[in-house]
Amino acid sequence: MWLLGLAWKNMWRNKTRTAITMAAIFFAVILSVLTSSLKDGIFDNLIKNVVSFYTGYVQVHKAGYWDEQVLDNGMKYDKSLDSRILAVSQVTGVSPRLETFGLIATDINTKGCMVVGIDPDREDKVTGLKSKVTKGTCIVPGDKKVMLSEGLALRMKAGIGDTVYLIGQGYHGATSAGKFEVKGLVRFGSPELNNQLLYLSLEDARELYSAEDLATSAVISLSNPGNPGLTADALKQQLGNEYEIMSWEAMLPDVKQHIETDSNSMKYIQGILYMLVSFGIFGTLLMMMVERKYELGMLVAIGMKKSRLCALMAIESVLTVLGGCALGILASIPVVYYFNQKPLRLGGEIASIYERFGFEAVFPTSISPDNFISQGIIVMVIGLILSMYPVYKVLTIDPVTSMKR
Amino acid sequence: MSDIVIDTHNISRVYNPTTIPIYAIRNVHLHIKRGEFTALVGPSGSGKTTLLNLIGGLDKPDEGQIFINGTDITTLSPGKLIDFRLHNIGFVFQSFNLIPVLTARENAEFIMLLQGKSKAERGTRMKQLFNQIDLEDKMDSRPGELSGGQQQRVAVARALASKPQFVLADEPTANLDSKSASNLLDIMDKLNREENITFLFSTHDQRVIDRARRVITLVDGQVATDTNVIDTSAPH
C-alpha cells in the first residue's frame, strides 16, 4: 500500500513531465477514437445510404435474375414464399418489389428511370421509406399515384399534384403505359438513387406491367446486419435452388471493395498515429529515467529490492497511462458526438468521386461505445508495453554507475 | 559477537583488467572495530570512494574477501547483497539524496518500511532519531523546506533507522557550510560515543579528519598510513 502512495507522490513530483506523458496519451486516445469512429461512421453511412435505404442487406430473387434483370425473370411471390422467408431466424421483415426500367415523361421532359413497385408499409419497415418522404405523402396500395426521388423530380420539373406518364415493356413483352399523379417526393443520400427512383404501389405496378403475383425481388431486413452472409446461407437452405439469395456484399461488390480499401488505408493512418504516440510516451519515459537515475541507484544502494523498485515504477506508469486514457476517453465523447451530429462534408472533385461510388460525401462519426473502449484499450496497452522500459532499466541498474555525477 | 565489524582481506579492484590494468584498490587489508570513528583520506583518485563502495557491497573486488560482521559479502548474490545492505549498512551520501516528495520523517523511516517494521516500531524509532539529530520540529517538512545541513542530518537518521552494523559516509560534509558541517559532525560524534555506532568516512574535509579517532590514508589505491589519534575528549 505504501508503494502505491509513494508512486502517487512520485507522479506529481514533476508535474510537467507527468502532464506531458498524460497529454500524449490523452491526445492519442482522442485522435485514435476519432479516427476509428470516423472510419466506422463513414462505412455505416455508406451502408445506410446504399444498402439499408434501398438494396437491403439480403435479397431473394428467382435464380438467374441478377444476371439478367428483366421482368420475365421475376418470381411468383405469394403468401407461402413470404412465410418461408419470414420463418428464417434473423429475418425481421421482407418487402416484395417489382422493379424495372421505364420511361417517365411529363409535358416537357422524358427520362429513363427505375420504376419500383412496393408495398408501402412493408417497404417502410425494411428500408424506412416513409422517413425519406420530404414533400407530400407516401403512396398507399392501389391509389394510382407515384412518389419521385427529389433528383428525378427536379429533372422532370415535376412537383406534388403533377401528372407523369410511364411507358415501358411489361411481362412477356406486353406494352405498358400509364398516367399517375405525383403524391410525394423522397430523398436518398445516394445521388445515384436520388436521381432515378420512382415508387408506385406493388398493386399498381403489377397492373401496369401485366405481372400478376409477380415480384422481381424480396428485400430483407435483418436483426444482425453485421453478418448478412449467415442469413443468406440460412435462406438458401430454406428456399432451395429455385431462388438466388444475395447479400449486399455480393450485389454491390464495388461498395464492399471500397470499404475494404478505405478500411486498410485507415489502418495505416492509425498505425502511424500509434507510432507517434509511442515515441511521445517513450520520450517522456526516457526523460524520467535520466532525471531519476541517481535516485534509483541510491534506493538500490540503501537496500530497496529491485522487484519493489520495478513495482514502484510500474505502478507510476500504470497510473499515468490509466489517467491519460480515462481522460482521453471522457474528452473524446463530446468530440465524437459533435462530428456525429455535424458531420464533415466534402465538396468539389472529392465529392464527385464519392458520388461516382453512389454515396454522398458526408462523413459522420460513429458513436458506438466499441470505438471508445477498443481504442482506449489499444493506447493503454501501448502505454503499458512502453512502461516496461523503466522496469527494464531498474532491473539492469548498477548503483555505483548510477550514482556517479 | 566479534569486535571486528569490517574486515577486508587483501582486496583489489582493477579497471580494464584485459588491456591496461588500472588498480583503483590494491591489496588493501583493513580491520575496523565496532565503535570506531574512522576517516578514510587521500587525494582525489586515491580510491577512497571505490573502497567505500566495496565495503558497502555496492561493488565487488576482483581479488580478496570482505567480511562484514563475519559474513563474506563477496560471495553473496546481488539480491542477497541488497538485503544484506538493508539490514547491516547505513549510507550517507555527499548530496543528501532524500526523496523530495516525502517528508523528513517519511524519508528517514523509508528503510524501516523496506524492512517491514510496524508503524509503532517506526514511530518510536523516528522520535528517538529526530531527537538525536535535533530536528523534532522539522519531521513533517519536505527536503525542499530544509537547509543542506538539516537534510544531511535527516540522511544520517535514515542511515541509522535500520540499526546498522556501521555507517558509511561518502564526503558527508562536502556540500555543507562550516556551521552545518560542525553541527553534523557533533551529532555523529555523539552517536558514536553514546551508542557505540561505527562510522567510516571518506573525506577531504579537515574538520572531519580532526574529529576522527582513526585516520587511514590511501595513496594510489593502497593504505599508506593508518593512524590512531589519541582521543583526549573520550570519557575515561
Side-chain angles (χ1 to χ4, degrees):
Chain A
M1 194 62 198
W2 62 268
L3 266 183
L4 188 65
L6 182 58
W8 179 254
K9 284 176 179 172
N10 274 336
M11 262 179 75
W12 302 110
R13 68 198 293 180
N14 187 334
K15 291 187 181 73
T16 313
R17 185 184 61 218
T18 305
I20 289 171
T21 314
M22 283 179 99
I25 296 163
F26 172 82
F27 286 114
V29 171
I30 292 181
L31 284 174
S32 168
V33 169
L34 194 60
T35 316
S36 180
S37 301
L38 198 58
K39 182 187 83 177
D40 286 0
I42 291 168
F43 300 149
D44 287 351
N45 192 47
L46 190 155
I47 292 169
K48 201 164 75 179
N49 274 196
V50 181
V51 179
S52 68
F53 280 177
Y54 185 72
T55 313
Y57 289 95
V58 175
Q59 284 191 10
V60 176
H61 316 122
K62 186 180 168 187
Y65 172 78
W66 195 250
D67 290 335
E68 196 183 356
Q69 296 180 27
V70 292
L71 284 177
D72 290 354
N73 283 337
M75 59 191 169
K76 190 182 175 198
Y77 194 89
D78 54 15
K79 281 190 177 170
S80 154
L81 177 59
D82 196 59
S83 42
R84 280 163 70 200
I85 293 172
L86 284 168
V88 172
S89 63
Q90 289 200 17
V91 173
T92 55
V94 56
S95 172
R97 285 180 187 164
L98 190 71
E99 293 166 295
T100 187
F101 282 95
L103 276 179
I104 177 173
T106 60
D107 293 342
I108 53 168
N109 217 348
T110 303
K111 191 186 177 297
C113 71
M114 178 78 161
V115 179
V116 188
I118 50 158
D119 177 327
D121 289 334
R122 297 183 78 169
E123 185 70 20
D124 181 51
K125 197 177 168 197
V126 173
T127 63
L129 176 68
K130 288 178 183 173
S131 68
K132 293 194 277 278
V133 177
T134 54
K135 253 187 182 174
T137 53
C138 189
I139 52 174
V140 291
D143 65 357
K144 307 276 185 198
K145 291 178 182 176
V146 295
M147 288 194 298
L148 303 181
S149 55
E150 280 184 341
L152 181 62
L154 193 70
R155 281 162 193 243
M156 299 306 297
K157 296 187 169 54
I160 305 298
D162 289 347
T163 301
V164 295
Y165 304 94
L166 286 179
I167 305 154
Q169 188 182 21
Y171 191 53
H172 286 163
T175 303
S176 63
K179 190 174 81 170
F180 299 90
E181 183 191 324
V182 177
K183 195 180 180 187
L185 298 184
V186 289
R187 180 187 291 160
F188 285 92
S190 158
E192 194 183 340
L193 296 173
N194 204 41
N195 289 332
Q196 62 169 343
L197 274 190
L198 179 149
Y199 282 114
L200 74 167
S201 74
L202 186 59
E203 206 171 289
D204 292 342
R206 280 172 172 166
E207 192 186 325
L208 176 68
Y209 294 113
S210 312
E212 202 182 339
D213 295 337
L214 213 68
T216 52
S217 58
V219 181
I220 288 163
S221 60
L222 307 178
S223 57
N224 176 20
N227 201 343
L230 276 179
T231 314
D233 290 345
L235 277 165
K236 258 178 206 164
Q237 282 201 329
Q238 171 83 330
L239 302 177
N241 291 334
E242 200 185 329
Y243 299 93
E244 65 185 9
I245 320 295
M246 297 181 79
S247 68
W248 71 267
E249 291 155 329
M251 289 184 283
L252 303 166
D254 288 356
V255 173
K256 193 189 173 210
Q257 197 181 4
H258 173 79
I259 289 177
E260 280 172 356
T261 310
D262 264 18
S263 185
N264 285 335
S265 308
M266 288 286 199
K267 277 180 191 161
Y268 284 117
I269 293 170
Q270 281 184 311
I272 292 167
L273 182 69
Y274 295 145
M275 275 175 67
L276 290 174
V277 169
S278 304
F279 284 123
I281 298 172
F282 192 62
T284 56
L285 289 174
L286 272 177
M287 194 168 76
M288 177 187 81
M289 290 311 289
V290 171
E291 271 179 28
R292 292 172 67 183
K293 189 178 154 196
Y294 194 103
E295 175 194 319
L296 296 173
M298 180 274 292
L299 287 173
V300 175
I302 64 171
M304 187 166 186
K305 280 187 180 133
K306 286 186 176 179
S307 55
R308 271 190 172 157
L309 203 48
C310 285
L312 178 71
M313 301 306 285
I315 293 169
E316 283 179 36
S317 300
V318 168
L319 287 177
T320 310
V321 171
L322 281 181
C325 279
L327 290 173
I329 288 173
L330 283 177
S332 64
I333 292 170
V335 177
V336 169
Y337 186 76
Y338 175 81
F339 285 111
N340 177 267
Q341 295 301 304
K342 297 194 172 176
L344 300 167
R345 281 178 189 277
L346 296 184
E349 187 61 28
I350 298 173
S352 58
I353 291 169
Y354 277 94
E355 282 173 11
R356 250 179 271 150
F357 280 100
F359 64 98
E360 54 185 348
V362 175
F363 303 103
T365 50
S366 160
I367 48 173
S368 160
D370 288 357
N371 284 314
F372 297 96
I373 296 165
S374 63
Q375 294 307 311
I377 288 174
I378 288 172
V379 176
M380 192 172 77
V381 168
I382 290 173
L384 293 180
I385 289 171
L386 289 172
S387 53
M388 289 299 106
Y389 172 73
V391 171
Y392 163 76
K393 290 301 281 184
V394 166
L395 284 174
T396 55
I397 206 165
D398 172 29
V400 175
T401 49
S402 296
M403 289 197 293
K404 268 186 188 154
R405 290 285 187 193
Chain B
M1 192 184 283
S2 164
D3 208 26
I4 294 174
V5 185
I6 301 167
D7 186 5
T8 71
H9 286 236
N10 294 319
I11 55 170
S12 296
R13 181 74 175 99
V14 192
Y15 296 112
N16 306 326
T18 53
T19 52
I20 307 162
I22 299 166
Y23 278 85
I25 293 294
R26 191 195 288 257
N27 298 326
V28 171
H29 195 80
L30 208 67
H31 303 292
I32 292 181
K33 289 182 185 163
R34 190 172 307 282
E36 282 191 4
F37 200 71
T38 308
L40 205 55
V41 301
S44 290
S46 60
K48 301 187 296 293
T49 301
T50 305
L51 184 57
L52 228 56
N53 285 339
L54 290 169
I55 292 169
L58 300 176
D59 198 3
K60 285 210 169 187
D62 295 292
E63 291 163 20
Q65 291 167 297
I66 301 167
F67 292 90
I68 304 293
N69 217 27
T71 303
D72 182 358
I73 63 167
T74 58
T75 60
L76 295 178
S77 66
K80 284 193 173 160
L81 207 48
I82 291 175
D83 210 40
F84 187 85
R85 287 199 297 267
L86 175 64
H87 291 96
N88 295 282
I89 308 171
F91 289 91
V92 178
F93 303 98
Q94 182 180 331
S95 50
F96 325 141
N97 276 309
L98 300 178
I99 301 170
V101 291
L102 301 182
T103 62
R105 176 208 171 100
E106 287 167 340
N107 263 289
E109 71 177 357
F110 189 75
I111 296 267
M112 295 183 79
L113 269 172
L114 295 176
Q115 287 180 318
K117 302 284 185 200
S118 70
K119 195 177 175 182
E121 218 172 335
R122 295 196 313 261
T124 313
R125 182 79 177 135
M126 286 306 113
K127 212 171 172 185
Q128 179 198 4
L129 280 171
F130 274 80
N131 177 270
Q132 285 171 326
I133 62 169
D134 199 20
L135 277 179
E136 275 177 305
D137 56 333
K138 300 282 184 188
M139 281 175 92
D140 296 320
S141 302
R142 289 185 192 272
E145 297 159 357
L146 301 174
S147 68
Q150 288 170 330
Q151 285 188 55
Q152 196 62 304
R153 275 144 72 187
V154 176
V156 170
R158 179 178 65 189
L160 294 172
S162 61
K163 298 187 177 169
Q165 298 291 334
F166 60 92
V167 173
L168 292 177
D170 188 10
E171 307 268 9
T173 55
N175 290 341
L176 302 181
D177 58 66
S178 302
K179 198 181 165 194
S180 300
S182 171
N183 204 338
L184 182 76
L185 287 169
D186 285 345
I187 287 166
M188 293 203 274
D189 192 29
K190 193 175 157 201
L191 286 165
N192 170 257
R193 287 177 193 282
E194 291 177 2
E195 300 202 5
N196 205 30
I197 294 167
T198 313
F199 282 93
L200 175 60
F201 305 93
S202 83
T203 188
H204 279 110
D205 191 339
Q206 193 56 47
R207 293 165 300 190
V208 182
I209 299 167
D210 291 345
R211 297 285 192 104
R213 286 183 285 285
R214 182 179 170 191
V215 178
I216 300 167
T217 309
L218 283 182
V219 177
D220 295 335
Q222 290 179 299
V223 177
T225 60
D226 186 349
T227 317
N228 280 306
V229 180
I230 298 164
D231 184 7
T232 51
S233 63
H236 296 284

